[in-house]
Amino acid sequence: RALEEDIGEGDITANLIPPQTRGSATVVSRERAVVCGIPWFDRVFLQLDPSVQVQWHVEEGQLVDADTLLCTLEGTARGLLTGERTALNFMQLLSGTATIARKYADAVRDSDCQILDTRKTIPGLRAAQKYAAAVGGVTNHRAGLFDGILIKENHLMAAGGIDHAVKSARSMGHQLPVEVEVETLDECRQALAAGADILLLDNFTLEELRAAVDLNRGQEPRALLEASGNVSLDGLADIAATGVDFVSVGALTKNVIAVDLSMRFVFGDTA
């Protein structure tokens, strides 16, 4: 789909070049980053022009410094030029996702808390971004609405409250854990009493998070606690120290800044 939206009915500019002309290219990272997206990069050229050969000098998930040579390419000039932007778009986006994910994962590395991604992804690229988040070291939350039960504020209003919503979820016969979003300590008590498996603690203060952990300590079995809402990298260690099990961060996939990559070409004579 990415190639189709870029090429359409054909690369008009690349057709100025004789089809026999060959060339080479190098891709360099202009900043410190976690490399991610190699399978997508390779697939672009495999679909576009299988004669293009890509040699990688780094590994997926590797943290590289600025000015690191990532890969070299050889093939037809048309193939290299036509695939350049699509291949780099994938690498820049996914490396950006993996890089910020690594920063968040590192911030809680000395705790038992795990960082979760969310569904706040670029439409059509969720699987790719969640893959990149995992490469960066965080844990994937549900992939979509089909593989997890998360009863949020609007669901609760429509379903008639926490207790009724949890009971309805249990009656559906799914083996999935039931997660409930709560916004106050009172709602936290209600969700624990209803037997929710996971509580999403939305925009709780540090004091409220600690109080929720205390409330949950007497539960049998104990629910898992997920903190969420306006989480910053600077405040992450303090949130993890409250004793919650997870912190979900929409910024991992929503506010991604692409990594600065550069592809340089050298073209030779026609073959």
Side-chain angles (χ1 to χ4, degrees):
R1 291 197 304 268
L3 285 169
E4 184 178 72
E5 73 178 355
D6 201 32
I7 300 171
E9 296 181 357
D11 184 347
I12 300 172
T13 311
N15 287 339
L16 300 173
I17 303 166
Q20 301 86 0
T21 301
R22 297 186 62 81
S24 62
T26 56
V27 177
V28 173
S29 177
R30 294 304 183 192
E31 59 184 292
R32 184 175 173 82
V34 174
V35 175
C36 185
I38 289 176
W40 280 261
F41 188 98
D42 288 345
R43 190 69 178 178
V44 165
F45 290 103
L46 181 63
Q47 290 195 15
L48 181 64
D49 183 351
S51 72
V52 173
Q53 301 297 308
V54 185
Q55 180 181 3
W56 289 95
H57 306 290
V58 296
E59 296 180 352
E60 189 86 333
Q62 182 177 336
L63 179 63
V64 300
D65 291 322
D67 300 321
T68 296
L69 174 64
L70 304 185
C71 68
T72 55
L73 304 91
E74 293 186 358
T76 63
R78 286 186 178 184
L80 292 172
L81 289 167
T82 300
E84 172 195 9
R85 178 42 52 202
T86 300
L88 286 180
N89 281 350
F90 277 117
M91 284 293 296
Q92 289 175 327
L93 171 69
L94 300 185
S95 294
T97 302
T99 299
I100 189 63
R102 181 69 56 85
K103 291 178 181 178
Y104 276 82
D106 285 345
V108 299
R109 195 167 298 281
D110 295 330
S111 75
D112 294 327
C113 184
Q114 297 181 50
I115 304 299
L116 304 177
D117 58 18
T118 71
R119 289 167 47 237
K120 296 176 181 178
T121 54
I122 296 173
L125 290 176
R126 178 169 299 167
Q129 282 194 281
K130 281 185 169 283
Y131 163 85
V135 167
V138 309
T139 302
N140 292 143
H141 205 302
R142 57 179 180 162
L145 300 175
F146 54 88
D147 66 337
I149 301 172
L150 176 47
I151 308 170
K152 305 192 78 173
E153 177 186 10
N154 291 330
H155 297 101
L156 292 172
M157 288 191 294
I162 292 174
D163 186 67
H164 185 72
V166 172
K167 288 179 179 177
S168 294
R170 299 288 188 207
S171 69
M172 294 168 64
H174 294 292
Q175 298 304 308
L176 297 168
V178 177
E179 182 169 7
V180 178
E181 179 185 54
V182 297
E183 297 182 337
T184 66
L185 287 172
D186 183 57
E187 290 181 348
C188 181
R189 293 185 185 93
Q190 293 179 49
L192 291 173
D197 300 299
I198 309 170
L199 271 59
L200 175 61
L201 310 173
D202 185 41
N203 285 305
F204 275 39
T205 65
L206 292 176
E207 182 180 356
E208 289 171 333
L209 289 175
R210 286 189 285 267
V213 171
D214 288 340
L215 287 173
N216 187 43
R217 193 167 282 125
Q219 290 293 117
E220 186 59 45
R222 190 179 71 85
L224 296 174
L225 301 181
E226 174 187 341
S228 181
N230 298 316
V231 176
S232 70
L233 189 58
D234 291 339
L236 194 56
D238 290 336
I239 295 175
T242 65
V244 296
D245 301 284
F246 308 108
V247 181
S248 55
V249 183
L252 298 177
T253 52
K254 183 180 69 171
N255 303 335
V256 178
I257 299 175
V259 169
D260 186 10
L261 304 179
S262 174
M263 185 182 289
R264 301 291 178 87
F265 295 89
V266 175
F267 298 113
D269 296 331
T270 58

